[in-house]
């Protein structure tokens, strides 16, 4: 058994990646699925799509690699976080579409809870803010709005889970209802200090506690797949939410190390070690990973729209056909124009947390066209990252590993975007040779547990740099551009 199968279930597609004993990628398979937008600010997925694309890509990647399932030592799972599912304990039938992490339908609920004075208690236990981003209020919404759901939940007939939990349940044929600590930490229901579900918050949201899964380590025994799925039972030995898996995949094992992942959204995490750090700048305190029953904590800043802004250029404005077209467009943009895009399509995340905010564009002229829009879209990701890192610097005054940012995710392949990121941050940006760090993190967790991959120290030694982007923008230009961004954000939040 020399291979690890990594499942990377994301917001717009499901992927399966097969790693060999040296943690090299042998084969990949990917399948997109439909996004559902039933109302403004609402985002849903069909659970059947999540499962079908996951199972399908796993079978496809095994076939592409030309190996036997007997060669696969274990499965690691990483997933879009906070997305909320509720299904029948016996049949596995979902009671509603999955309510996606981007969904803002519970903004009013969060505001009522905030006005009632509950945010301090919730933040103290979970490290999170009262925002519709997280699973707890989404779960309460399903129970309150699906006919009969609450009564069935109270009878013990329904189960709740994030995507990892749902996939584990499906893969094991309903034998295992479990999640890992990193995913539990994103639900708004888990006490990250005590390491257990918070009965106080469950009572506040009127959520029956027996709906909730068992919480295990990130490298742990999550059962075995049904034999009929892939030809034999395969143990599931690693699970982590996508951003925590990327933190692991970037080998950010020392306090102060920092990574930023550019997928649909952008998520920056900084390892803070054994003790949770409470943010004074509206960042999140979360669990980076948990091994041998011991959590390692992180500060996190979450941006809702990063790669999704490029999708908007493609699908909404239709000014590009492929994401790769944004870089040559940005390079041709008129330097004399200062077009600023605030991509608050589903609200603003950290450090603003403005759920009802919507996107805006500033500085348009008659000459503004596709090139200027493309540059503004890529620049918006750099600006938002700087917002996060400035907040982190204020919260964490200890050494930050030389102020180097490790990056990954689809957008990190753009040299233009990464150079602008280094310029606007005035800090080096390191891009690794393996950009699939999210899948790599899940694979390492499973492979380490299976005994075929090295320990943390050995894994960290194998991290390899592809390219370092050094800042080269003049300070005056950098400061002027960032001030324009801050003015644009302030104006957007007042609309």
């Amino acid at each position: 058994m020399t291979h690890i199968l990594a499942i990377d279930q994301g917001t717009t597609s499901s992927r399966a990646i097969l790693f060999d004993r040296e943690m090299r990628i042998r084969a990949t398979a990917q399948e997109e699925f439909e996004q559902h937008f039933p109302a403004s600010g609402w985002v849903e997925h069909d659970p059947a799509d999540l499962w079908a694309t996951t199972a399908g890509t796993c079978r496809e990647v095994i076939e592409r690699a030309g190996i036997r399932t007997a060669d696969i030592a274990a499965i690691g799972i990483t997933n879009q976080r906070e997305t909320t599912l509720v299904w029948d304990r016996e049949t596995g039938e979902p009671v509603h579409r999955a309510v996606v992490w981007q969904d803002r339908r519970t903004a009013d609920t969060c505001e009522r809870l905030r006005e009632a004075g509950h945010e301090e208690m919730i933040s103290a236990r979970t490290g999170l803010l009262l925002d519709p981003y997280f699973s707890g209020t989404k779960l309460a919404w399903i129970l309150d709005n699906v006919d009969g759901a609450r009564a069935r939940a109270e009878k013990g007939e329904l189960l709740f889970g994030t995507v990892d939990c749902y996939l584990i349940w499906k893969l094991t044929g309903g034998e295992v209802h479990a999640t890992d600590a990193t995913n539990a930490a994103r639900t708004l229901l888990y006490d990250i200090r005590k390491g257990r579900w918070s009965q106080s918050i469950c009572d506040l949201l009127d959520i029956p506690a027996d709906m909730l899964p068992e919480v295990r380590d990130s490298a742990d025994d999550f059962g075995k797949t049904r034999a009929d799925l892939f030809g034999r039972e395969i143990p599931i030995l690693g699970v982590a939410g996508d951003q925590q898996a990327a933190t692991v995949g970037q080998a950010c094992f020392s306090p102060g190390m920092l990574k930023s992942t550019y997928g649909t959204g952008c998520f920056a995490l900084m390892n803070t070690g054994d003790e949770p750090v409470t943010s004074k700048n509206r960042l999140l305190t979360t669990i980076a990973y948990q091994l041998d029953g011991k959590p390692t904590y992180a500060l996190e800043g979450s941006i809702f729209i990063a790669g999704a802004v490029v999708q908007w250029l493609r699908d909404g404005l239709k000014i590009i056909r492929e994401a790769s077209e944004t870089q040559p467009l940005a390079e041709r943009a008129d330097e004399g124009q200062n077009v600023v895009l605030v991509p608050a399509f589903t609200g603003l995340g950290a450090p603003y947390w403005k759920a009802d905010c919507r996107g805006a564009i500033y500085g348009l002229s008659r000459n503004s066209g596709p090139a200027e829009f493309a540059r503004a879209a890529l620049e918006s990701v750099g600006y938002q990252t700087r917002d996060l890192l400035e907040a982190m610097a204020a919260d964490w005054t200890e050494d930050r590993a030389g102020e180097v940012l490790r990056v990954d995710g689809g957008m990190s392949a753009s040299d233009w975007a990464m150079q602008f990121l280094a310029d606007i941050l005035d800090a080096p940006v390191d891009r690794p040779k393996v950009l699939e760090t999210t899948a790599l993190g899940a694979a390492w967790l499973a492979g380490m547990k299976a005994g075929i991959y090295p320990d943390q120290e050995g894994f960290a030694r194998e991290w390899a740099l592809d390219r370092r982007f050094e800042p080269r923008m003049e300070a005056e230009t950098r400061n002027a551009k960032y001030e324009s961004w801050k003015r644009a954000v302030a104006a957007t939040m007042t609309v």
Side-chain angles (χ1 to χ4, degrees), residues 363-406:
L364 295 178
S365 72
R366 284 286 299 273
N367 292 327
S368 300
E372 287 70 37
F373 274 70
R375 185 182 66 182
L378 295 181
E379 287 183 342
S380 73
V381 178
Y383 292 135
Q384 292 179 96
T385 305
R386 178 166 168 176
D387 287 341
L388 299 183
L389 268 58
E390 289 201 346
M392 284 183 177
D395 283 331
W396 178 267
T397 56
E398 299 180 41
D399 178 57
R400 287 184 11 191
E403 301 292 326
V404 175
L405 176 66
R406 290 186 173 182

Short mmCIF file of all heavy atoms in Angstrom, two decimals, residues 363-406:
data_model
loop_
_atom_site.label_atom_id
_atom_site.label_comp_id
_atom_site.label_asym_id
_atom_site.label_seq_id
_atom_site.Cartn_x
_atom_site.Cartn_y
_atom_site.Cartn_z
N GLY A 363 -13.98 54.83 -9.69
CA GLY A 363 -12.94 55.36 -10.56
C GLY A 363 -13.12 55.07 -12.03
O GLY A 363 -12.16 55.14 -12.80
N LEU A 364 -14.34 54.75 -12.45
CA LEU A 364 -14.57 54.44 -13.87
C LEU A 364 -14.49 55.70 -14.73
O LEU A 364 -14.91 56.78 -14.32
CB LEU A 364 -15.95 53.80 -14.06
CG LEU A 364 -16.18 52.42 -13.41
CD1 LEU A 364 -17.61 51.97 -13.65
CD2 LEU A 364 -15.19 51.41 -13.97
N SER A 365 -13.97 55.52 -15.95
CA SER A 365 -13.97 56.58 -16.94
C SER A 365 -14.50 56.01 -18.26
O SER A 365 -14.74 54.80 -18.38
CB SER A 365 -12.56 57.14 -17.14
OG SER A 365 -11.76 56.20 -17.84
N ARG A 366 -14.63 56.86 -19.28
CA ARG A 366 -15.09 56.39 -20.57
C ARG A 366 -14.11 55.37 -21.17
O ARG A 366 -14.49 54.56 -22.01
CB ARG A 366 -15.25 57.58 -21.54
CG ARG A 366 -16.49 58.42 -21.30
CD ARG A 366 -17.75 57.73 -21.77
NE ARG A 366 -17.74 57.44 -23.20
CZ ARG A 366 -18.15 58.28 -24.13
NH1 ARG A 366 -18.61 59.48 -23.78
NH2 ARG A 366 -18.12 57.95 -25.40
N ASN A 367 -12.87 55.45 -20.75
CA ASN A 367 -11.85 54.56 -21.29
C ASN A 367 -11.71 53.25 -20.51
O ASN A 367 -10.89 52.40 -20.87
CB ASN A 367 -10.49 55.26 -21.34
CG ASN A 367 -10.47 56.38 -22.36
OD1 ASN A 367 -11.13 56.29 -23.39
ND2 ASN A 367 -9.72 57.43 -22.06
N SER A 368 -12.47 53.10 -19.42
CA SER A 368 -12.37 51.87 -18.62
C SER A 368 -12.99 50.71 -19.40
O SER A 368 -14.08 50.82 -19.94
CB SER A 368 -13.11 52.04 -17.29
OG SER A 368 -12.54 53.10 -16.55
N GLY A 369 -12.25 49.61 -19.46
CA GLY A 369 -12.72 48.46 -20.21
C GLY A 369 -12.29 47.15 -19.57
O GLY A 369 -11.91 47.12 -18.39
N PRO A 370 -12.33 46.05 -20.31
CA PRO A 370 -11.99 44.74 -19.75
C PRO A 370 -10.63 44.69 -19.05
O PRO A 370 -10.50 44.04 -18.01
CB PRO A 370 -12.03 43.82 -20.98
CG PRO A 370 -13.02 44.48 -21.89
CD PRO A 370 -12.81 45.95 -21.70
N ALA A 371 -9.62 45.36 -19.60
CA ALA A 371 -8.29 45.31 -18.99
C ALA A 371 -8.29 45.94 -17.61
O ALA A 371 -7.71 45.41 -16.66
CB ALA A 371 -7.27 46.01 -19.89
N GLU A 372 -8.98 47.08 -17.48
CA GLU A 372 -9.03 47.77 -16.18
C GLU A 372 -9.85 46.97 -15.18
O GLU A 372 -9.52 46.92 -13.98
CB GLU A 372 -9.60 49.18 -16.35
CG GLU A 372 -8.65 50.17 -17.03
CD GLU A 372 -8.43 49.88 -18.51
OE1 GLU A 372 -9.42 49.44 -19.18
OE2 GLU A 372 -7.30 50.08 -18.99
N PHE A 373 -10.92 46.33 -15.65
CA PHE A 373 -11.72 45.49 -14.76
C PHE A 373 -10.92 44.29 -14.28
O PHE A 373 -10.99 43.92 -13.10
CB PHE A 373 -13.00 45.03 -15.48
CG PHE A 373 -14.14 45.98 -15.39
CD1 PHE A 373 -14.11 47.19 -16.07
CD2 PHE A 373 -15.26 45.70 -14.63
CE1 PHE A 373 -15.15 48.08 -15.99
CE2 PHE A 373 -16.33 46.58 -14.55
CZ PHE A 373 -16.28 47.78 -15.23
N ALA A 374 -10.15 43.69 -15.17
CA ALA A 374 -9.34 42.53 -14.79
C ALA A 374 -8.29 42.92 -13.76
O ALA A 374 -8.08 42.21 -12.76
CB ALA A 374 -8.68 41.92 -16.02
N ARG A 375 -7.61 44.05 -13.99
CA ARG A 375 -6.60 44.48 -13.02
C ARG A 375 -7.23 44.79 -11.68
O ARG A 375 -6.72 44.41 -10.62
CB ARG A 375 -5.84 45.71 -13.53
CG ARG A 375 -4.70 46.13 -12.61
CD ARG A 375 -3.97 47.36 -13.10
NE ARG A 375 -4.84 48.55 -13.04
CZ ARG A 375 -4.47 49.75 -13.45
NH1 ARG A 375 -3.27 49.93 -13.96
NH2 ARG A 375 -5.30 50.76 -13.37
N ALA A 376 -8.38 45.50 -11.69
CA ALA A 376 -9.05 45.84 -10.43
C ALA A 376 -9.48 44.58 -9.68
O ALA A 376 -9.41 44.53 -8.44
CB ALA A 376 -10.25 46.73 -10.70
N ALA A 377 -9.90 43.56 -10.42
CA ALA A 377 -10.32 42.31 -9.78
C ALA A 377 -9.14 41.64 -9.08
O ALA A 377 -9.24 41.22 -7.92
CB ALA A 377 -10.91 41.36 -10.82
N LEU A 378 -7.99 41.53 -9.77
CA LEU A 378 -6.82 40.92 -9.15
C LEU A 378 -6.29 41.76 -8.00
O LEU A 378 -5.89 41.22 -6.95
CB LEU A 378 -5.73 40.71 -10.20
CG LEU A 378 -6.04 39.73 -11.34
CD1 LEU A 378 -4.86 39.61 -12.28
CD2 LEU A 378 -6.45 38.37 -10.80
N GLU A 379 -6.28 43.08 -8.17
CA GLU A 379 -5.79 43.94 -7.10
C GLU A 379 -6.67 43.85 -5.86
O GLU A 379 -6.17 43.97 -4.73
CB GLU A 379 -5.73 45.40 -7.58
CG GLU A 379 -4.60 45.66 -8.55
CD GLU A 379 -4.49 47.12 -8.96
OE1 GLU A 379 -5.47 47.88 -8.78
OE2 GLU A 379 -3.42 47.52 -9.47
N SER A 380 -7.97 43.63 -6.03
CA SER A 380 -8.87 43.57 -4.87
C SER A 380 -8.47 42.46 -3.92
O SER A 380 -8.66 42.57 -2.70
CB SER A 380 -10.32 43.38 -5.33
OG SER A 380 -10.56 42.06 -5.80
N VAL A 381 -7.92 41.38 -4.45
CA VAL A 381 -7.49 40.26 -3.61
C VAL A 381 -6.26 40.66 -2.79
O VAL A 381 -6.15 40.33 -1.60
CB VAL A 381 -7.21 39.02 -4.48
CG1 VAL A 381 -6.71 37.87 -3.62
CG2 VAL A 381 -8.47 38.62 -5.24
N GLY A 382 -5.34 41.40 -3.40
CA GLY A 382 -4.18 41.88 -2.66
C GLY A 382 -4.55 42.85 -1.56
O GLY A 382 -4.03 42.78 -0.44
N TYR A 383 -5.46 43.77 -1.87
CA TYR A 383 -5.91 44.73 -0.86
C TYR A 383 -6.56 44.03 0.33
O TYR A 383 -6.28 44.36 1.49
CB TYR A 383 -6.91 45.71 -1.47
CG TYR A 383 -6.35 46.66 -2.49
CD1 TYR A 383 -7.03 46.88 -3.69
CD2 TYR A 383 -5.16 47.34 -2.28
CE1 TYR A 383 -6.54 47.77 -4.65
CE2 TYR A 383 -4.66 48.22 -3.23
CZ TYR A 383 -5.35 48.43 -4.41
OH TYR A 383 -4.86 49.31 -5.35
N GLN A 384 -7.43 43.07 0.03
CA GLN A 384 -8.12 42.36 1.12
C GLN A 384 -7.13 41.56 1.97
O GLN A 384 -7.29 41.47 3.20
CB GLN A 384 -9.19 41.44 0.54
CG GLN A 384 -10.36 42.18 -0.09
CD GLN A 384 -11.38 41.22 -0.67
OE1 GLN A 384 -12.38 40.89 -0.05
NE2 GLN A 384 -11.11 40.76 -1.89
N THR A 385 -6.12 40.99 1.32
CA THR A 385 -5.10 40.26 2.08
C THR A 385 -4.35 41.20 3.01
O THR A 385 -4.06 40.86 4.17
CB THR A 385 -4.11 39.56 1.13
OG1 THR A 385 -4.83 38.73 0.22
CG2 THR A 385 -3.13 38.72 1.91
N ARG A 386 -4.03 42.40 2.53
CA ARG A 386 -3.34 43.36 3.40
C ARG A 386 -4.22 43.73 4.59
O ARG A 386 -3.72 43.87 5.72
CB ARG A 386 -2.95 44.61 2.62
CG ARG A 386 -2.27 45.65 3.50
CD ARG A 386 -1.58 46.74 2.73
NE ARG A 386 -1.19 47.84 3.61
CZ ARG A 386 -0.51 48.91 3.22
NH1 ARG A 386 -0.12 49.02 1.96
NH2 ARG A 386 -0.19 49.87 4.08
N ASP A 387 -5.52 43.89 4.37
CA ASP A 387 -6.43 44.14 5.49
C ASP A 387 -6.27 43.08 6.57
O ASP A 387 -6.19 43.38 7.77
CB ASP A 387 -7.89 44.13 5.01
CG ASP A 387 -8.28 45.35 4.20
OD1 ASP A 387 -7.58 46.38 4.28
OD2 ASP A 387 -9.30 45.28 3.48
N LEU A 388 -6.22 41.83 6.14
CA LEU A 388 -6.11 40.72 7.10
C LEU A 388 -4.78 40.74 7.83
O LEU A 388 -4.72 40.58 9.05
CB LEU A 388 -6.27 39.38 6.37
CG LEU A 388 -7.58 39.11 5.64
CD1 LEU A 388 -7.57 37.71 5.06
CD2 LEU A 388 -8.77 39.28 6.57
N LEU A 389 -3.70 40.91 7.08
CA LEU A 389 -2.38 40.82 7.69
C LEU A 389 -2.10 41.99 8.63
O LEU A 389 -1.39 41.83 9.63
CB LEU A 389 -1.30 40.71 6.61
CG LEU A 389 -0.94 39.27 6.23
CD1 LEU A 389 -2.16 38.49 5.74
CD2 LEU A 389 0.16 39.23 5.19
N GLU A 390 -2.65 43.16 8.33
CA GLU A 390 -2.49 44.28 9.27
C GLU A 390 -3.23 44.00 10.57
O GLU A 390 -2.74 44.34 11.65
CB GLU A 390 -2.98 45.58 8.62
CG GLU A 390 -2.05 46.08 7.51
CD GLU A 390 -2.23 47.56 7.21
OE1 GLU A 390 -3.23 48.16 7.65
OE2 GLU A 390 -1.34 48.11 6.53
N ALA A 391 -4.42 43.38 10.47
CA ALA A 391 -5.15 43.02 11.68
C ALA A 391 -4.39 41.96 12.47
O ALA A 391 -4.31 42.02 13.70
CB ALA A 391 -6.55 42.52 11.32
N MET A 392 -3.78 41.00 11.78
CA MET A 392 -3.00 39.97 12.47
C MET A 392 -1.79 40.57 13.17
O MET A 392 -1.45 40.19 14.30
CB MET A 392 -2.54 38.90 11.47
CG MET A 392 -3.63 37.95 11.05
SD MET A 392 -3.00 36.66 9.96
CE MET A 392 -4.51 35.69 9.73
N ALA A 393 -1.13 41.51 12.51
CA ALA A 393 0.04 42.14 13.11
C ALA A 393 -0.32 42.86 14.40
O ALA A 393 0.48 42.91 15.34
CB ALA A 393 0.68 43.11 12.11
N ALA A 394 -1.53 43.42 14.44
CA ALA A 394 -1.97 44.11 15.65
C ALA A 394 -2.30 43.13 16.77
O ALA A 394 -2.15 43.45 17.95
CB ALA A 394 -3.19 44.98 15.34
N ASP A 395 -2.76 41.92 16.40
CA ASP A 395 -3.14 40.92 17.41
C ASP A 395 -1.97 40.08 17.88
O ASP A 395 -1.94 39.62 19.02
CB ASP A 395 -4.20 39.97 16.83
CG ASP A 395 -5.58 40.58 16.78
OD1 ASP A 395 -5.88 41.44 17.63
OD2 ASP A 395 -6.37 40.21 15.89
N TRP A 396 -0.99 39.85 17.02
CA TRP A 396 0.14 38.97 17.31
C TRP A 396 1.42 39.79 17.21
O TRP A 396 1.91 40.07 16.12
CB TRP A 396 0.16 37.81 16.33
CG TRP A 396 1.29 36.85 16.50
CD1 TRP A 396 2.50 36.89 15.86
CD2 TRP A 396 1.34 35.70 17.34
NE1 TRP A 396 3.29 35.83 16.25
CE2 TRP A 396 2.61 35.08 17.16
CE3 TRP A 396 0.44 35.11 18.23
CZ2 TRP A 396 2.97 33.92 17.82
CZ3 TRP A 396 0.81 33.96 18.89
CH2 TRP A 396 2.06 33.37 18.70
N THR A 397 1.95 40.18 18.34
CA THR A 397 3.12 41.06 18.35
C THR A 397 4.43 40.29 18.43
O THR A 397 5.49 40.88 18.39
CB THR A 397 3.03 42.04 19.54
OG1 THR A 397 2.90 41.30 20.76
CG2 THR A 397 1.82 42.96 19.38
N GLU A 398 4.33 38.95 18.53
CA GLU A 398 5.54 38.14 18.57
C GLU A 398 6.08 37.98 17.15
O GLU A 398 5.49 38.42 16.17
CB GLU A 398 5.23 36.78 19.20
CG GLU A 398 4.73 36.92 20.64
CD GLU A 398 4.43 35.57 21.26
OE1 GLU A 398 5.21 34.63 21.04
OE2 GLU A 398 3.42 35.46 21.97
N ASP A 399 7.21 37.29 17.03
CA ASP A 399 7.85 37.10 15.72
C ASP A 399 6.92 36.39 14.76
O ASP A 399 6.26 35.41 15.13
CB ASP A 399 9.13 36.28 15.88
CG ASP A 399 9.81 36.03 14.55
OD1 ASP A 399 10.12 37.01 13.86
OD2 ASP A 399 9.99 34.85 14.20
N ARG A 400 6.87 36.89 13.51
CA ARG A 400 5.99 36.29 12.51
C ARG A 400 6.81 35.65 11.40
O ARG A 400 6.59 35.88 10.22
CB ARG A 400 5.05 37.34 11.92
CG ARG A 400 3.98 37.73 12.92
CD ARG A 400 2.97 38.68 12.40
NE ARG A 400 3.00 38.91 10.96
CZ ARG A 400 2.32 39.89 10.39
NH1 ARG A 400 1.59 40.69 11.12
NH2 ARG A 400 2.36 40.07 9.08
N ALA A 401 7.73 34.81 11.79
CA ALA A 401 8.50 33.97 10.85
C ALA A 401 9.09 34.78 9.70
O ALA A 401 9.03 34.40 8.55
CB ALA A 401 7.62 32.84 10.32
N GLY A 402 9.66 35.95 10.05
CA GLY A 402 10.34 36.75 9.04
C GLY A 402 9.41 37.48 8.10
O GLY A 402 9.83 37.96 7.05
N GLU A 403 8.14 37.58 8.47
CA GLU A 403 7.17 38.33 7.66
C GLU A 403 7.05 37.78 6.24
O GLU A 403 6.86 38.53 5.28
CB GLU A 403 7.54 39.82 7.61
CG GLU A 403 7.60 40.49 8.96
CD GLU A 403 6.23 40.62 9.61
OE1 GLU A 403 5.24 40.80 8.90
OE2 GLU A 403 6.15 40.50 10.84
N VAL A 404 7.16 36.48 6.08
CA VAL A 404 6.99 35.84 4.77
C VAL A 404 5.61 35.21 4.71
O VAL A 404 5.18 34.53 5.64
CB VAL A 404 8.08 34.77 4.52
CG1 VAL A 404 7.82 34.04 3.21
CG2 VAL A 404 9.45 35.40 4.52
N LEU A 405 4.91 35.43 3.60
CA LEU A 405 3.60 34.84 3.39
C LEU A 405 3.72 33.68 2.42
O LEU A 405 4.19 33.85 1.29
CB LEU A 405 2.63 35.89 2.83
CG LEU A 405 1.23 35.40 2.47
CD1 LEU A 405 0.48 34.95 3.72
CD2 LEU A 405 0.45 36.48 1.74
N ARG A 406 3.30 32.48 2.84
CA ARG A 406 3.24 31.34 1.95
C ARG A 406 1.85 31.31 1.29
O ARG A 406 0.84 31.43 1.98
CB ARG A 406 3.51 30.04 2.70
CG ARG A 406 4.95 29.91 3.15
CD ARG A 406 5.26 28.55 3.78
NE ARG A 406 6.69 28.42 4.03
CZ ARG A 406 7.28 27.33 4.54
NH1 ARG A 406 6.53 26.27 4.85
NH2 ARG A 406 8.58 27.30 4.74
#
